[in-house]
Amino acid sequence: MRAVVNAHRFKLLPILAILITSGIGVCQTPSTPLLRLQQSRAYLNIDANVQHGMGLYGITYGNPGDVWQYPNSLSCLVVYDDGKYVLEKREEATVGKPKVKRAEGNLEADDLQRLKILLEDDAIKQIKTPSMPVLPNDSQAVRDIESLDAEINHSGATQRFTLVKERVKTGAITSATTGPSTGMDAYLDNGAPYKKTLSPLLKWFEGVQKKSKSELKESKPQYCAPMNIG
């Protein structure tokens, strides 16, 4: 069973890479992107969705993907070096009916300077995508997953990293008829060592989202890169 769950997770790695390398979105502005930041959450509901009871086994991206099977949410922000920014949020509480909203604006000089100072912090510049967390021996499936994807421009040098949190269903299989035994969920987080380092940046991100909340308007998806479950 552990080998099966590991196989599911390996299928996730290229998807998380796509979240970064796809550029999160395309913009017509000639300014240089200073920061691309995206928070993604997918709740797999493996107990209710029997057909996907194997957790992340069915995750795909692109064709034949583009099939949204579980509630998920995405928040992504693109900031340009002149202070322009785009915030996009995608919520899909009802499967198959995503709602996308977007806000655009200009950061105040103080906010932009603060962001640049945060991004040039030596501790942040050292962050790299870590290995996936080690699964418990009695892992059965992944219940839900969160990811933080970042792309930072350091004077022409690009830094990218992806951090992942997982809630994993555990418990040994007792028999073919009784199914899995009841066990506590395991919480895994390969970004735990960077939590303190990233805290100021994430608080800054939260602040931008709060300030832009009233400016969000319905839009077509353009900037957020979806995590598809097909």
Side-chain angles (χ1 to χ4, degrees):
M1 180 59 67
R2 180 180 176 81
V4 172
V5 178
N6 267 314
H8 302 164
R9 285 178 40 176
F10 287 138
K11 288 179 176 290
L12 174 66
L13 292 177
I15 298 153
L16 296 177
I18 289 171
L19 292 176
I20 291 296
T21 57
S22 63
I24 294 182
V26 178
C27 186
Q28 300 302 317
T29 177
S31 301
T32 301
L34 176 66
L35 169 70
R36 302 176 189 271
L37 194 64
Q38 177 167 312
Q39 289 180 315
S40 310
R41 296 180 176 87
Y43 306 95
L44 306 190
N45 295 336
I46 59 174
D47 291 330
N49 295 278
V50 179
Q51 68 272 29
H52 287 278
M54 299 306 291
L56 293 175
Y57 184 80
I59 281 188
T60 59
Y61 186 90
N63 294 327
D66 303 325
V67 178
W68 297 77
Q69 298 289 351
Y70 300 97
N72 56 81
S73 64
L74 308 171
S75 296
C76 55
L77 175 71
V78 182
V79 181
Y80 297 89
D81 57 7
D82 61 359
K84 293 180 181 179
Y85 74 88
V86 181
L87 173 68
E88 184 173 290
K89 299 179 75 69
R90 174 171 180 145
E91 298 284 343
E92 190 172 9
T94 302
V95 176
K97 297 181 178 180
K99 296 181 179 180
V100 180
K101 293 185 177 182
R102 185 165 76 235
E104 300 182 24
N106 291 276
L107 297 177
E108 295 182 359
D110 289 346
D111 280 343
L112 179 60
Q113 183 61 25
R114 182 187 173 201
L115 173 61
K116 290 181 177 180
I117 291 174
L118 289 173
L119 298 181
E120 291 305 311
D121 180 81
D122 288 339
I124 283 186
K125 293 170 77 171
Q126 297 301 315
I127 298 177
K128 297 180 180 179
T129 299
S131 301
M132 290 291 285
V134 178
L135 288 167
N137 290 328
D138 58 348
S139 297
Q140 293 183 28
V142 179
R143 287 188 182 276
D144 52 55
I145 187 165
E146 299 179 23
S147 67
L148 174 68
D149 306 284
E151 180 179 307
I152 305 172
N153 183 346
H154 298 290
S155 300
T158 303
Q159 174 191 12
R160 298 183 179 92
F161 59 83
T162 296
L163 307 178
V164 179
K165 293 181 181 180
E166 296 173 288
R167 182 165 67 98
V168 181
K169 183 176 183 179
T170 64
I173 298 295
T174 55
S175 72
T177 55
T178 61
S181 62
T182 302
M184 297 183 63
D185 289 344
Y187 294 84
L188 312 176
D189 183 1
N190 68 358
Y194 306 119
K195 184 176 181 179
K196 183 177 180 180
T197 298
L198 288 170
S199 179
L201 178 59
L202 294 180
K203 287 182 179 179
W204 181 90
F205 183 28
E206 291 176 2
V208 173
Q209 293 186 75
K210 289 180 180 178
K211 291 180 181 179
S212 304
K213 187 175 182 180
S214 62
E215 303 298 325
L216 289 168
K217 302 182 184 302
E218 291 186 8
S219 176
K220 294 182 180 180
Q222 181 179 358
Y223 292 85
C224 290
M227 180 185 295
N228 292 336
I229 304 174

